[in-house]
mmCIF file of all heavy atoms in Angstrom:
data_model
loop_
_atom_site.group_PDB
_atom_site.id
_atom_site.type_symbol
_atom_site.label_atom_id
_atom_site.label_comp_id
_atom_site.label_asym_id
_atom_site.label_seq_id
_atom_site.Cartn_x
_atom_site.Cartn_y
_atom_site.Cartn_z
ATOM 1 N N GLN Q 1 23.535 -17.796 -23.811
ATOM 2 C CA GLN Q 1 23.622 -19.192 -23.358
ATOM 3 C C GLN Q 1 22.370 -19.598 -22.509
ATOM 4 O O GLN Q 1 21.700 -20.520 -22.699
ATOM 5 C CB GLN Q 1 24.881 -19.467 -22.604
ATOM 6 C CG GLN Q 1 24.963 -20.851 -22.074
ATOM 7 C CD GLN Q 1 24.982 -21.986 -23.147
ATOM 8 O OE1 GLN Q 1 26.084 -22.116 -23.743
ATOM 9 N NE2 GLN Q 1 23.984 -22.646 -23.457
ATOM 10 N N ALA Q 2 22.107 -18.737 -21.448
ATOM 11 C CA ALA Q 2 20.932 -19.050 -20.627
ATOM 12 C C ALA Q 2 19.585 -19.056 -21.397
ATOM 13 O O ALA Q 2 18.667 -19.969 -21.202
ATOM 14 C CB ALA Q 2 20.939 -17.965 -19.472
ATOM 15 N N VAL Q 3 19.532 -17.988 -22.224
ATOM 16 C CA VAL Q 3 18.096 -17.825 -22.968
ATOM 17 C C VAL Q 3 17.976 -18.956 -23.998
ATOM 18 O O VAL Q 3 16.845 -19.563 -24.030
ATOM 19 C CB VAL Q 3 18.067 -16.434 -23.593
ATOM 20 C CG1 VAL Q 3 16.820 -16.358 -24.467
ATOM 21 C CG2 VAL Q 3 18.063 -15.391 -22.496
ATOM 22 N N LEU Q 4 19.086 -19.223 -24.806
ATOM 23 C CA LEU Q 4 18.975 -20.224 -25.771
ATOM 24 C C LEU Q 4 18.700 -21.657 -25.188
ATOM 25 O O LEU Q 4 17.946 -22.450 -25.732
ATOM 26 C CB LEU Q 4 20.137 -20.240 -26.647
ATOM 27 C CG LEU Q 4 20.322 -19.021 -27.564
ATOM 28 C CD1 LEU Q 4 21.593 -18.940 -28.283
ATOM 29 C CD2 LEU Q 4 19.135 -18.990 -28.545
ATOM 30 N N GLN Q 5 19.360 -21.877 -23.956
ATOM 31 C CA GLN Q 5 19.122 -23.181 -23.394
ATOM 32 C C GLN Q 5 17.686 -23.301 -22.905
ATOM 33 O O GLN Q 5 17.068 -24.328 -23.057
ATOM 34 C CB GLN Q 5 20.016 -23.294 -22.093
ATOM 35 C CG GLN Q 5 20.029 -24.565 -21.484
ATOM 36 C CD GLN Q 5 20.663 -25.677 -22.367
ATOM 37 O OE1 GLN Q 5 21.711 -25.376 -22.998
ATOM 38 N NE2 GLN Q 5 20.035 -26.995 -22.306
ATOM 39 N N ALA Q 6 17.176 -22.273 -22.354
ATOM 40 C CA ALA Q 6 15.704 -22.238 -21.979
ATOM 41 C C ALA Q 6 14.792 -22.679 -23.152
ATOM 42 O O ALA Q 6 13.926 -23.383 -23.152
ATOM 43 C CB ALA Q 6 15.346 -21.101 -21.289
ATOM 44 N N MET Q 7 15.052 -21.900 -24.316
ATOM 45 C CA MET Q 7 14.204 -22.020 -25.566
ATOM 46 C C MET Q 7 14.355 -23.436 -26.033
ATOM 47 O O MET Q 7 13.342 -23.997 -26.481
ATOM 48 C CB MET Q 7 14.571 -20.993 -26.555
ATOM 49 C CG MET Q 7 14.339 -19.485 -26.132
ATOM 50 S SD MET Q 7 14.699 -18.297 -27.322
ATOM 51 C CE MET Q 7 13.437 -18.541 -28.640
ATOM 52 N N ALA Q 8 15.594 -23.946 -25.970
ATOM 53 C CA ALA Q 8 15.813 -25.372 -26.495
ATOM 54 C C ALA Q 8 14.970 -26.376 -25.506
ATOM 55 O O ALA Q 8 14.316 -27.249 -26.027
ATOM 56 C CB ALA Q 8 17.156 -25.748 -26.538
ATOM 57 N N ASP Q 9 15.200 -26.314 -24.245
ATOM 58 C CA ASP Q 9 14.588 -27.214 -23.277
ATOM 59 C C ASP Q 9 13.115 -27.190 -23.392
ATOM 60 O O ASP Q 9 12.457 -28.279 -23.304
ATOM 61 C CB ASP Q 9 15.023 -26.828 -21.855
ATOM 62 C CG ASP Q 9 16.420 -27.426 -21.451
ATOM 63 O OD1 ASP Q 9 17.036 -28.086 -22.428
ATOM 64 O OD2 ASP Q 9 16.834 -27.264 -20.361
ATOM 65 N N LEU Q 10 12.576 -25.957 -23.434
ATOM 66 C CA LEU Q 10 11.121 -25.883 -23.473
ATOM 67 C C LEU Q 10 10.464 -25.760 -24.909
ATOM 68 O O LEU Q 10 9.215 -25.682 -25.058
ATOM 69 C CB LEU Q 10 10.739 -24.499 -22.725
ATOM 70 C CG LEU Q 10 11.254 -24.362 -21.295
ATOM 71 C CD1 LEU Q 10 10.979 -23.050 -20.712
ATOM 72 C CD2 LEU Q 10 10.633 -25.365 -20.403
ATOM 73 N N ASP Q 11 11.181 -25.996 -25.906
ATOM 74 C CA ASP Q 11 10.852 -26.127 -27.225
ATOM 75 C C ASP Q 11 10.081 -24.859 -27.641
ATOM 76 O O ASP Q 11 8.875 -24.822 -28.129
ATOM 77 C CB ASP Q 11 9.948 -27.299 -27.509
ATOM 78 C CG ASP Q 11 9.627 -27.598 -28.942
ATOM 79 O OD1 ASP Q 11 10.412 -27.125 -29.780
ATOM 80 O OD2 ASP Q 11 8.650 -28.232 -29.285
ATOM 81 N N ILE Q 12 10.838 -23.747 -27.323
ATOM 82 C CA ILE Q 12 10.095 -22.389 -27.583
ATOM 83 C C ILE Q 12 10.619 -21.874 -28.912
ATOM 84 O O ILE Q 12 11.727 -21.849 -29.214
ATOM 85 C CB ILE Q 12 10.465 -21.452 -26.517
ATOM 86 C CG1 ILE Q 12 9.842 -21.840 -25.106
ATOM 87 C CG2 ILE Q 12 10.094 -19.958 -26.809
ATOM 88 C CD1 ILE Q 12 10.482 -21.075 -23.955
ATOM 89 N N ASP Q 13 9.622 -21.367 -29.717
ATOM 90 C CA ASP Q 13 10.038 -20.726 -31.018
ATOM 91 C C ASP Q 13 10.256 -19.188 -30.788
ATOM 92 O O ASP Q 13 11.173 -18.634 -31.510
ATOM 93 C CB ASP Q 13 8.926 -20.874 -32.000
ATOM 94 C CG ASP Q 13 8.669 -22.345 -32.397
ATOM 95 O OD1 ASP Q 13 9.608 -23.000 -32.643
ATOM 96 O OD2 ASP Q 13 7.531 -22.684 -32.307
ATOM 97 N N ALA Q 14 9.522 -18.452 -29.987
ATOM 98 C CA ALA Q 14 9.490 -17.042 -29.845
ATOM 99 C C ALA Q 14 9.130 -16.740 -28.448
ATOM 100 O O ALA Q 14 8.451 -17.547 -27.753
ATOM 101 C CB ALA Q 14 8.806 -16.386 -30.874
ATOM 102 N N LEU Q 15 9.399 -15.456 -28.026
ATOM 103 C CA LEU Q 15 9.010 -14.936 -26.782
ATOM 104 C C LEU Q 15 7.955 -13.702 -27.023
ATOM 105 O O LEU Q 15 8.061 -13.081 -27.990
ATOM 106 C CB LEU Q 15 10.055 -14.433 -25.980
ATOM 107 C CG LEU Q 15 11.255 -15.457 -25.834
ATOM 108 C CD1 LEU Q 15 12.510 -14.812 -25.122
ATOM 109 C CD2 LEU Q 15 10.759 -16.661 -25.001
ATOM 110 N N VAL Q 16 7.232 -13.437 -25.995
ATOM 111 C CA VAL Q 16 6.297 -12.322 -26.137
ATOM 112 C C VAL Q 16 6.333 -11.596 -24.757
ATOM 113 O O VAL Q 16 6.343 -12.193 -23.677
ATOM 114 C CB VAL Q 16 4.747 -12.736 -26.427
ATOM 115 C CG1 VAL Q 16 4.245 -13.654 -25.392
ATOM 116 C CG2 VAL Q 16 3.958 -11.523 -26.650
ATOM 117 N N TYR Q 17 6.252 -10.239 -24.826
ATOM 118 C CA TYR Q 17 6.280 -9.484 -23.607
ATOM 119 C C TYR Q 17 5.994 -7.993 -23.972
ATOM 120 O O TYR Q 17 5.932 -7.668 -25.133
ATOM 121 C CB TYR Q 17 7.722 -9.526 -22.873
ATOM 122 C CG TYR Q 17 8.853 -9.161 -23.750
ATOM 123 C CD1 TYR Q 17 9.251 -7.855 -24.014
ATOM 124 C CD2 TYR Q 17 9.517 -10.143 -24.441
ATOM 125 C CE1 TYR Q 17 10.242 -7.455 -24.762
ATOM 126 C CE2 TYR Q 17 10.512 -9.885 -25.362
ATOM 127 C CZ TYR Q 17 10.898 -8.573 -25.487
ATOM 128 O OH TYR Q 17 11.989 -8.177 -26.317
ATOM 129 N N PRO Q 18 5.689 -7.125 -23.083
ATOM 130 C CA PRO Q 18 5.441 -5.762 -23.389
ATOM 131 C C PRO Q 18 6.817 -5.160 -23.953
ATOM 132 O O PRO Q 18 7.917 -5.298 -23.433
ATOM 133 C CB PRO Q 18 5.141 -5.021 -22.072
ATOM 134 C CG PRO Q 18 4.794 -6.087 -21.023
ATOM 135 C CD PRO Q 18 5.603 -7.315 -21.546
ATOM 136 N N THR Q 19 6.675 -4.309 -25.006
ATOM 137 C CA THR Q 19 7.758 -3.657 -25.546
ATOM 138 C C THR Q 19 8.364 -2.845 -24.441
ATOM 139 O O THR Q 19 9.595 -2.640 -24.205
ATOM 140 C CB THR Q 19 7.433 -2.801 -26.793
ATOM 141 O OG1 THR Q 19 6.922 -3.634 -27.790
ATOM 142 C CG2 THR Q 19 8.672 -2.101 -27.278
ATOM 143 N N GLY Q 20 7.526 -2.113 -23.771
ATOM 144 C CA GLY Q 20 7.844 -1.292 -22.592
ATOM 145 C C GLY Q 20 6.615 -1.158 -21.734
ATOM 146 O O GLY Q 20 5.548 -1.262 -22.120
ATOM 147 N N ASN Q 21 6.796 -0.860 -20.375
ATOM 148 C CA ASN Q 21 5.716 -0.789 -19.524
ATOM 149 C C ASN Q 21 5.065 0.617 -19.277
ATOM 150 O O ASN Q 21 3.868 0.765 -19.004
ATOM 151 C CB ASN Q 21 6.191 -1.257 -18.081
ATOM 152 C CG ASN Q 21 6.435 -2.827 -18.168
ATOM 153 O OD1 ASN Q 21 6.547 -3.358 -19.163
ATOM 154 N ND2 ASN Q 21 6.421 -3.280 -17.005
ATOM 155 N N ILE Q 22 6.001 1.672 -19.496
ATOM 156 C CA ILE Q 22 5.526 2.999 -19.088
ATOM 157 C C ILE Q 22 5.111 3.690 -20.423
ATOM 158 O O ILE Q 22 5.876 3.926 -21.265
ATOM 159 C CB ILE Q 22 6.615 3.820 -18.333
ATOM 160 C CG1 ILE Q 22 7.026 3.114 -17.160
ATOM 161 C CG2 ILE Q 22 6.072 5.176 -18.034
ATOM 162 C CD1 ILE Q 22 5.905 2.879 -16.100
ATOM 163 N N PRO Q 23 3.895 4.228 -20.559
ATOM 164 C CA PRO Q 23 3.437 4.961 -21.701
ATOM 165 C C PRO Q 23 4.152 6.242 -21.889
ATOM 166 O O PRO Q 23 4.884 6.709 -20.914
ATOM 167 C CB PRO Q 23 1.910 5.175 -21.418
ATOM 168 C CG PRO Q 23 1.455 4.178 -20.475
ATOM 169 C CD PRO Q 23 2.753 3.919 -19.554
ATOM 170 N N SER Q 24 3.941 6.846 -22.954
ATOM 171 C CA SER Q 24 4.731 8.145 -23.306
ATOM 172 C C SER Q 24 4.496 9.228 -22.210
ATOM 173 O O SER Q 24 3.402 9.636 -21.888
ATOM 174 C CB SER Q 24 4.078 8.602 -24.724
ATOM 175 O OG SER Q 24 4.833 9.803 -24.993
ATOM 176 N N PRO Q 25 5.658 9.691 -21.722
ATOM 177 C CA PRO Q 25 5.433 10.816 -20.699
ATOM 178 C C PRO Q 25 5.460 12.207 -21.297
ATOM 179 O O PRO Q 25 5.717 12.264 -22.545
ATOM 180 C CB PRO Q 25 6.894 10.597 -19.871
ATOM 181 C CG PRO Q 25 7.849 9.995 -20.887
ATOM 182 C CD PRO Q 25 7.028 9.176 -21.828
ATOM 183 N N ILE Q 26 5.183 13.163 -20.540
ATOM 184 C CA ILE Q 26 5.190 14.519 -21.028
ATOM 185 C C ILE Q 26 6.667 14.975 -21.301
ATOM 186 O O ILE Q 26 7.486 14.573 -20.762
ATOM 187 C CB ILE Q 26 4.653 15.492 -19.873
ATOM 188 C CG1 ILE Q 26 3.132 15.092 -19.586
ATOM 189 C CG2 ILE Q 26 4.780 16.886 -20.259
ATOM 190 C CD1 ILE Q 26 2.215 15.496 -20.616
ATOM 191 N N LEU Q 27 6.812 15.714 -22.440
ATOM 192 C CA LEU Q 27 8.107 16.178 -22.750
ATOM 193 C C LEU Q 27 8.714 16.971 -21.748
ATOM 194 O O LEU Q 27 8.036 17.854 -21.097
ATOM 195 C CB LEU Q 27 7.952 17.142 -24.031
ATOM 196 C CG LEU Q 27 7.659 16.317 -25.386
ATOM 197 C CD1 LEU Q 27 7.267 17.419 -26.493
ATOM 198 C CD2 LEU Q 27 8.824 15.422 -25.859
ATOM 199 N N GLY Q 28 9.937 16.796 -21.305
ATOM 200 C CA GLY Q 28 10.589 17.462 -20.318
ATOM 201 C C GLY Q 28 10.163 17.049 -18.888
ATOM 202 O O GLY Q 28 10.877 17.614 -17.905
ATOM 203 N N ALA Q 29 9.248 16.150 -18.723
ATOM 204 C CA ALA Q 29 8.859 15.729 -17.396
ATOM 205 C C ALA Q 29 10.009 14.834 -16.786
ATOM 206 O O ALA Q 29 10.827 14.220 -17.535
ATOM 207 C CB ALA Q 29 7.577 14.856 -17.447
ATOM 208 N N PRO Q 30 10.087 14.741 -15.411
ATOM 209 C CA PRO Q 30 11.069 13.832 -14.814
ATOM 210 C C PRO Q 30 10.865 12.318 -15.311
ATOM 211 O O PRO Q 30 9.785 11.853 -15.574
ATOM 212 C CB PRO Q 30 10.760 13.868 -13.318
ATOM 213 C CG PRO Q 30 9.990 15.234 -13.113
ATOM 214 C CD PRO Q 30 9.221 15.381 -14.436
ATOM 215 N N ASN Q 31 11.950 11.644 -15.365
ATOM 216 C CA ASN Q 31 11.938 10.227 -15.721
ATOM 217 C C ASN Q 31 11.165 9.451 -14.742
ATOM 218 O O ASN Q 31 11.313 9.728 -13.441
ATOM 219 C CB ASN Q 31 13.276 9.634 -15.948
ATOM 220 C CG ASN Q 31 13.983 10.011 -17.294
ATOM 221 O OD1 ASN Q 31 13.256 10.327 -18.212
ATOM 222 N ND2 ASN Q 31 15.250 9.845 -17.347
ATOM 223 N N GLU Q 32 10.458 8.559 -15.150
ATOM 224 C CA GLU Q 32 9.916 7.498 -14.228
ATOM 225 C C GLU Q 32 11.108 6.713 -13.607
ATOM 226 O O GLU Q 32 11.921 6.288 -14.390
ATOM 227 C CB GLU Q 32 8.873 6.567 -14.922
ATOM 228 C CG GLU Q 32 8.352 5.556 -14.029
ATOM 229 C CD GLU Q 32 7.387 6.084 -12.961
ATOM 230 O OE1 GLU Q 32 6.873 7.223 -13.037
ATOM 231 O OE2 GLU Q 32 7.129 5.310 -11.972
#
């Protein structure tokens, strides 16, 4: 509801953003 309302009010077709912020970590390393 909140997202669709914003897209309608602002006449937005699509959104853009980073898929994720943290690049690939070492296997077995602690989680960021």
Side-chain angles (χ1 to χ4, degrees):
Q1 178 63 76
V3 172
L4 291 172
Q5 187 68 41
M7 293 180 74
D9 274 4
L10 301 173
D11 192 20
I12 295 169
D13 297 312
L15 306 174
V16 61
Y17 54 88
T19 305
N21 290 15
I22 303 298
S24 175
I26 298 288
L27 289 168
N31 280 339
E32 179 66 20

